[in-house]
Amino acid sequence: MKITFCGHGQVSDSVEIMDWLRAVTRDLIKRGGTTFYLGGYGEFDSLAAAVLREQKKMYPQIELILVLPYLNASRDAWGYDGTIYLPLESSPPRFAISKRNQWMVDASDVVVAYVLHNWGGAAATLQYAKRKKKEILSYPHKPGKKIS
C-alpha cells in the first residue's frame, strides 16, 4: 500500500500532530503500508518525515520517498530512501508543486491530511484526493477507523 501526505506549511501544535501521525502511520504500516510519498515542504511534511524515520527503526521494510517538483541538486534528500523527480518542464514553474501533489495522490492508495481550512495548496490537494475517491485519513481521525 502506498501513502501520501498533504497538510499546511504551518501547524498549530506540533507535539499533538506528531502523536497523531505516529498512531496513524503505525496503523497504516500494520495494514500493509510500505511506501510513503513525501513532498518535503512545510512543517506538516517535516513532521510526517520525522515520524516515519522513527517508525522505520521498528518497521525497516517501509520506504520514505521524497517526490521532487523541481530538478534541484541543492535539495537535501537526507533521511529518505529515495527520490522521484517528475519531469514537469512543460508546466510553468508555478504549477510544479500542484502537479507534483496530484501525481502523489494518483500514485497512492491513502492520503493522510492535516487540512484545517479550505484554501491553499493543501486544501486543493485534499479536494483532488476526494474527487479521485482516495481513502483519506484527516486530522483528527482516530487510527483503526477507515474513512473515505
Side-chain angles (χ1 to χ4, degrees):
M1 177 178 2
K2 296 176 182 176
I3 297 99
T4 195
F5 298 83
C6 78
H8 301 303
Q10 297 178 336
V11 301
S12 57
D13 184 348
S14 59
V15 173
E16 181 179 322
I17 302 305
M18 284 188 78
D19 289 343
W20 176 74
L21 282 167
R22 281 185 193 99
V24 168
T25 56
R26 187 178 317 111
D27 184 57
L28 287 166
I29 293 166
K30 289 179 179 178
R31 288 177 41 203
T34 56
T35 304
F36 293 85
Y37 293 125
L38 297 140
Y41 286 102
E43 194 173 355
F44 181 70
D45 284 356
S46 295
L47 294 175
V51 165
L52 286 167
R53 288 182 191 110
E54 290 175 5
Q55 299 286 25
K56 193 162 175 72
K57 293 174 186 171
M58 184 177 293
Y59 305 100
Q61 75 276 15
I62 67 171
E63 286 187 302
L64 286 69
I65 306 296
L66 178 62
V67 184
L68 302 168
Y70 308 107
L71 189 56
N72 182 346
S74 67
R75 186 82 179 135
D76 185 11
W78 176 90
Y80 295 93
D81 296 305
T83 59
I84 295 174
Y85 167 68
L86 304 175
L88 299 171
E89 291 88 1
S90 62
S91 294
R94 70 177 189 255
F95 296 125
I97 291 175
S98 61
K99 293 283 188 191
R100 185 270 322 262
N101 292 349
Q102 289 175 358
W103 181 91
M104 290 170 61
V105 168
D106 289 340
S108 297
D109 303 297
V110 178
V111 176
V112 177
Y114 173 76
V115 179
L116 303 179
H117 50 72
N118 62 358
W119 67 88
T125 301
L126 180 58
Q127 288 304 316
Y128 182 79
K130 288 177 180 179
R131 284 194 307 275
K132 291 294 185 169
K133 301 193 182 323
K134 297 294 178 168
E135 178 183 350
I136 298 167
L137 305 178
S138 290
Y139 176 82
H141 167 74
K142 302 295 183 212
K145 293 183 179 178
K146 187 174 179 180
I147 298 176
S148 295

